[in-house]
Amino acid sequence: NAGVTQTPKFQVLKTGQSMTLQCAQDMNHNSMYWYRQDPGMGLRLIYYSASEGTTDKGEVPNGYNVSRLNKREFSLRLESAAPSQTSVYFCASLPQRNSYEQYFGPGTRLTVT
Amino acid sequence: AQSVTQPDIHITVSEGASLELRCNYSYGATPYLFWYVQSPGQGLQLLLKYFSGDTLVQGIKGFEAEFKRSQSSFNLRKPSVHWSDAAEYFCAVASDSSYKLIFGSGTRLLVRP
């Protein structure tokens, strides 16, 4: 049972390049989330998926797209990376709607130059 | 709107000393409150949570937190800090409308030998 896994662990992009961050969970959780973490700002929600087939915007969705590929996988895409998207990205999952306890992956550190 | 405030950006304590990390929340109803810990280069791990009932909750690694509705606070405590407790600590409140977490900006704990 690996929990929540994220790939890659590190990535450097040039401005304007695109990439997809992958997240998978093997706990049969219904909801999945993407956060970004910036110094002094805690974690901010980018997008979430309450269940397979649905996605919704969070607090800071601009510049990102997501895909809930199936129950296990939730990817985050940067179509045209900008330096302001330099951050650490965390994926999380939630077992069921009345539990509230989210389980986090190890993070992806992204640098955009 | 819901919000979480962690007024201390950094706290330094000596090993063996007691610790209290402050958290204040803004929420209209009874909140669901969490403390997470993030060790360097790692994802977030849940320390403890409060949903209802006893206002003093026990967590992992010897941590506890007390919910005080009158002060809108959920402070984290530990009677004797170990060097391995050096990490960043995040307080969070759950949004009951969509099971999203609102995080504070975090408190970085440094432990002096």
Side-chain angles (χ1 to χ4, degrees):
Chain A
N1 190 339
V4 180
T5 57
Q6 292 183 236
T7 56
K9 283 188 167 41
F10 301 94
Q11 183 72 47
V12 179
L13 291 178
K14 290 186 176 5
T15 298
Q17 288 185 316
S18 62
M19 80 159 295
T20 299
L21 280 64
Q22 306 286 355
C23 173
Q25 51 89 10
D26 61 1
M27 298 175 284
N28 201 35
H29 288 177
N30 290 326
S31 302
M32 297 184 73
Y33 304 80
W34 276 106
Y35 294 90
R36 59 177 289 171
Q37 182 182 26
D38 302 293
M41 303 190 74
L43 277 76
R44 293 180 292 168
L45 183 65
I46 304 171
Y47 270 94
Y48 67 102
S49 170
S51 60
E52 188 178 354
T54 69
T55 60
D56 286 286
K57 294 178 180 179
E59 183 185 353
V60 288
N62 291 344
Y64 305 95
N65 285 301
V66 291
S67 296
R68 183 77 182 265
L69 304 169
N70 47 54
K71 192 170 186 178
R72 289 188 64 246
E73 298 172 288
F74 187 39
S75 62
L76 178 73
R77 183 159 178 85
L78 287 69
E79 290 291 351
S80 178
S84 61
Q85 294 178 305
T86 294
S87 189
V88 181
Y89 291 85
F90 287 99
C91 178
S93 66
L94 181 73
Q96 55 197 22
R97 290 177 70 80
N98 61 352
S99 78
Y100 293 97
E101 180 181 341
Q102 295 185 17
Y103 292 75
F104 283 81
T108 294
R109 184 173 293 274
L110 175 67
T111 301
V112 183
T113 61
Chain B
Q2 294 155 307
S3 65
V4 177
T5 302
Q6 293 181 248
D8 303 305
I9 299 174
H10 297 102
I11 282 188
T12 301
V13 299
S14 297
E15 192 167 14
S18 63
L19 170 71
E20 183 168 25
L21 301 183
R22 296 183 290 164
C23 172
N24 292 97
Y25 66 90
S26 171
Y27 187 65
T30 298
Y32 298 148
L33 295 159
F34 304 80
W35 275 100
Y36 281 86
V37 61
Q38 183 183 29
S39 297
Q42 304 295 314
L44 277 72
Q45 180 183 22
L46 182 69
L47 281 177
L48 47 79
K49 59 190 177 189
Y50 172 78
F51 287 177
S52 64
D54 193 347
T55 57
L56 185 63
V57 294
Q58 302 297 320
I60 62 171
K61 304 186 182 189
F63 285 91
E64 65 179 27
E66 186 170 13
F67 170 60
K68 292 186 177 179
R69 183 188 301 276
S70 61
Q71 298 176 19
S72 297
S73 69
F74 188 56
N75 293 350
L76 182 71
R77 301 194 294 246
K78 187 170 185 178
S80 178
V81 169
H82 188 263
W83 63 266
S84 60
D85 293 325
E88 189 153 23
Y89 292 80
F90 292 94
C91 183
V93 63
S95 162
D96 61 1
S97 63
S98 56
Y99 308 93
K100 297 183 287 188
L101 289 177
I102 310 296
F103 285 88
S105 55
T107 298
R108 184 169 296 280
L109 174 65
L110 304 173
V111 181
R112 278 193 298 256

